[in-house]
Amino acid sequence: MAQQFPQQQFKTRLALLVFLKGTAAPIVLYFDDPKAVYDEILSAMRMQSNVGKLIEKEPNGPIKKISIMSNQIASVALQEEVCQQ
């Protein structure tokens, strides 16, 4: 018979993953509103410019400030993570 586990409530948060050209692992960034930053980076990537646009952000968490050229970003994604309680 299967063992019954107590019902638990998990807190989740969204993380922004930034994949750079020439790197294997993404940069994981936490923001108060990650969807807005995701949309902003996505629109900067879609600009048809060889020069690129400088994106500077101050995320929450271990990384305090980041500066990336938009033409060096391969992809961005949102990931839902379980928080520690």
Side-chain angles (χ1 to χ4, degrees), residues 34-67:
K35 291 180 182 179
V37 178
Y38 172 82
D39 292 335
E40 180 183 342
I41 291 175
L42 211 55
S43 66
M45 287 174 54
R46 289 184 178 150
M47 290 177 43
Q48 298 297 327
S49 174
N50 291 337
V51 178
K53 177 184 174 185
L54 180 65
I55 300 170
E56 290 185 330
K57 295 290 175 190
E58 293 184 12
N60 304 331
I63 298 176
K64 299 301 179 196
K65 188 168 187 173
I66 188 162
S67 299

Side-chain angles (χ1 to χ4, degrees), residues 22-40:
T23 62
I27 300 172
V28 181
L29 303 170
Y30 301 101
F31 293 97
D32 293 331
D33 188 7
K35 291 180 182 179
V37 178
Y38 172 82
D39 292 335
E40 180 183 342

